Amino acid sequence: MATQYEVEHNIKPNHSTTRRRRQVDMSTFNAHLHNIVPESTSSPSTSPQQERHHHHNPHAVPNPTDTAALFRLLQDQMGTLATTAPTDDNRAFLQSLVEALELDVAHPPREIEGVTQEFLDGLDRVSRKSLKQDDTCPICAERYLDDQYPLVVELPCHGSHRFDLECVGPWLRAKGTCPLCRKEMGKRRAVVVATEEDDEEVDDMNGLYA
């Protein structure tokens, strides 16, 4: 299965290109997620075979065993990265993510509360020219500019919360929060629409002070 990185840069999976050694490879996670979570639309890398096995019942929810397995896949990936962390700060950060996932593994939620694929696809991409030489992904700790085609996204919670899309994508899809500040993603503010009754009440109130 092609990764989001390869899809966006039109790179064949077997094509030789410069990739960072520690970048997250979550193809198994993504395949498992696709099989257990209903999705209104498929990602660009979805195969016809996966689509046939995909749930189409909007009320279907994954069973606890499948949900726990999903969080375990994510936890194992973060734990593996922690064992080869280049700095103490990166190791501590990754271990905090592993610990945050422990409750989801032991007591899986009834539903996966992560963001949709559409939300992930719509995240702001950070242009290469705006990246500094020493800017690194908080998860893989690799420098963005060491990649031939950096695919960096900025989360809406804070302008400095930037990640490799391949690294942060699985966390957002599973947890739905920023890995750094844990603010919930994907929830839009409710827009209050004024009605005619509201306008009449305002006019009445203004009349009291006329």
Side-chain angles (χ1 to χ4, degrees):
M1 181 192 303
T3 65
Q4 187 72 15
Y5 176 95
E6 291 161 340
V7 170
E8 294 205 13
H9 293 292
N10 195 28
I11 297 172
K12 296 180 180 180
N14 294 327
H15 183 74
S16 177
T17 186
T18 303
R19 298 299 303 278
R20 297 188 297 283
R21 292 186 301 274
R22 284 172 45 82
Q23 192 165 35
V24 174
D25 178 9
M26 296 302 293
S27 56
T28 302
F29 170 92
N30 290 330
H32 186 60
L33 177 68
H34 183 80
N35 284 330
I36 69 174
V37 178
E39 193 76 73
S40 58
T41 58
S42 303
S43 66
S45 58
T46 302
S47 68
Q49 183 179 5
Q50 290 173 317
E51 184 63 30
R52 286 196 299 271
H53 290 286
H54 189 58
H55 293 297
H56 292 284
N57 180 0
H59 302 293
V61 294
N63 64 57
T65 301
D66 287 338
T67 303
L70 181 78
F71 286 108
R72 175 63 74 184
L73 285 169
L74 181 57
Q75 187 185 50
D76 288 347
Q77 181 68 62
M78 297 303 170
T80 299
L81 287 177
T83 62
T84 58
T87 67
D88 291 339
D89 287 343
N90 179 242
R91 181 178 298 103
F93 174 61
L94 290 170
Q95 288 175 341
S96 73
L97 299 185
V98 170
E99 293 171 2
L101 291 164
E102 188 57 42
L103 182 62
D104 296 308
V105 174
H107 304 285
R110 185 171 182 271
E111 297 181 18
I112 306 297
E113 298 181 349
V115 304
T116 63
Q117 184 63 46
E118 288 79 8
F119 177 88
L120 210 62
D121 294 340
L123 285 173
D124 291 337
R125 269 47 172 176
V126 180
S127 65
R128 183 185 179 90
K129 64 181 179 181
S130 67
L131 296 171
K132 298 179 181 179
Q133 187 62 40
D134 293 331
D135 285 348
T136 60
C137 173
I139 294 177
C140 70
E142 296 281 355
R143 292 185 299 184
Y144 298 126
L145 294 181
D146 285 350
D147 202 327
Q148 183 178 358
Y149 303 106
L151 184 51
V152 183
V153 294
E154 181 179 297
L155 301 190
C157 52
H158 197 280
S160 66
H161 292 184
R162 297 175 172 181
F163 302 84
D164 284 312
L165 179 59
E166 295 292 324
C167 290
V168 77
W171 176 274
L172 292 176
R173 293 286 274 136
K175 296 289 289 180
T177 61
C178 171
L180 288 171
C181 67
R182 307 298 168 86
K183 182 176 180 180
E184 292 187 357
M185 301 285 105
K187 293 186 178 181
R188 300 180 183 275
R189 292 181 179 178
V191 178
V192 178
V193 180
T195 64
E196 292 183 3
E197 293 182 358
D198 293 333
D199 293 338
E200 291 175 359
E201 291 179 1
V202 172
D203 291 339
D204 291 341
M205 292 296 293
N206 289 337
L208 294 175
Y209 302 98

